[in-house]
Amino acid sequence: MSLGPEFRKLWMAGAISNLGDGVTFVAAPLLAASLTGDPTLVARLSFVYTAPRILLVLVGGALSDRLDRRRLMGAVNTFRAVLLTMLGAALLGGWESLVLLYSIFLFLGVSETLFDSASLAILSSVVRKRDLERANARLTAAQLVADEFVGPPLGGFLFAATAALPFLFDAGSFAAAAVLILALRGRFQVERMEASTASPMLADIREGVGWLARHRLLRALAVMLGLASVAYMMTFSILVLFARDVLSLDDTGYGILLAFSAVGGLAGSAVAGRLVRWLGAGRTIFASLLIGAGSYVGIASSNNPLFVGVMLALYIFYAVVWNVVTVSLRQAIVPDRMLGRVSSAYRLFGLIGLALGALLGGFLARGLGLTAPFWAGAVLLVLMALLALPVVNNKTISEAREDSLLTE
């Protein structure tokens, strides 16, 4: 069933920009690894990308509830296109350095903060609430095909040809996505009470943070997101070194490894809605966390590229199911006028987790070996699943959905 022409534009914009992201996702760590073999310096690229987002995520949420979300997303994508064009030009001129790479990714992190807040909130203006899970699943499927299936091998191939090519390609993808987003028809600025519109931004931020702090279920899910993000970034911040030194893969092989893992994500996006209907959202979240932990154990136990690729696919399956279920819950439960601010407060936990995970991943890899982050991630996911059961379960999620319907 069609979700409408405006959703198709949003879907196409996401698919195009995610293809560029997939190319850069491979090219950036490859560039960092070509400049240094120190795991902490390679992992620091992820930290530099994440750290500014922590500082600005709440501001980004407040802006997405104040400004036209369509225009904000279009402007941010245009800015990102300019940044990546600058990086590509610098590489063509032979001016590559870690300082330059860190600087560009710092500004990309700031841009991502503004874009993510608006993009998550805008979906509820494009599709009906009852279609959110289906819309999120389709967006996730497109992201996976572009970002993790097509993008990574293309990024490895382009980087092997010329280091500047993948970044220039990503610049073009952001420019094209900006055109599609700006072509959306409709109203994408939230109707707000006059007093609220005139209130200081700090008061807006405080209102969103306070709403999340009082909501027991979403508060618990936010903490879980932070811990899951630590586990994710501990491993993926050093994955390029794991692929090179443990799996003996070259640049193209690393891209193919990531592309293979996307098969699990496609499966996750296809079955997430069915799993929720079959098991309930709470049990689906619990089961997916255990699957993620098992995949980490498999990766840490093998140096076979094919087996590790299967385990990575299993991990991406968990991540996609988790994302589709929890994002849809948040969009259904949070009032639209506050969705940007509450979501930014929620995502703050994830961003802090990503920053900590990047630092811990480099530290563990350098001190205990490249498999240590995977073992640590497995333990963290199992503990998180068990400790969250009393709060995140089918009963509490059902009650939260009912309460949101009563307050509409």
Side-chain angles (χ1 to χ4, degrees), residues 140-324:
T140 301
Q143 176 186 352
L144 286 165
V145 171
D147 195 355
E148 300 187 30
F149 192 71
V150 180
L154 178 60
F157 174 77
L158 292 176
F159 185 85
T162 303
L165 278 180
F167 303 106
L168 294 174
F169 181 93
D170 197 9
S173 75
F174 278 130
V179 172
L180 283 166
I181 289 169
L182 292 173
L184 286 170
R185 293 180 300 175
R187 181 174 176 81
F188 300 99
Q189 186 161 0
V190 180
E191 293 284 355
R192 306 180 66 200
M193 293 170 41
E194 185 177 348
S196 178
T197 304
S199 66
M201 186 173 294
L202 184 60
D204 282 0
I205 293 172
R206 190 182 302 116
E207 184 182 14
V209 172
W211 196 97
L212 177 64
R214 291 189 298 271
H215 200 285
R216 184 168 179 256
L217 172 62
L218 289 184
R219 185 177 66 234
L221 285 172
V223 173
M224 293 173 68
L225 173 64
L227 296 175
S229 297
V230 170
Y232 166 80
M233 194 54 78
M234 276 196 301
T235 55
F236 277 77
S237 64
I238 54 88
L239 184 62
V240 63
L241 298 178
F242 181 87
R244 186 187 69 185
D245 299 342
V246 177
L247 304 181
S248 301
L249 295 175
D250 59 13
D251 295 350
T252 303
Y254 175 62
I256 293 173
L257 177 71
L258 292 178
F260 186 83
S261 71
V263 174
L266 289 174
S269 65
V271 305
R274 297 175 189 175
L275 287 175
V276 171
R277 290 191 293 271
W278 179 39
L279 298 174
R283 289 175 185 167
T284 299
I285 290 171
F286 179 79
S288 68
L289 288 169
L290 296 185
I291 289 172
S295 68
Y296 273 159
V297 171
I299 293 169
S301 304
S302 177
N303 62 359
N304 183 293
L306 179 59
F307 180 76
V308 169
V310 172
M311 290 296 101
L312 278 174
L314 197 62
Y315 176 85
I316 300 300
F317 175 88
Y318 134 73
V320 167
V321 171
W322 158 278
N323 187 64
V324 169

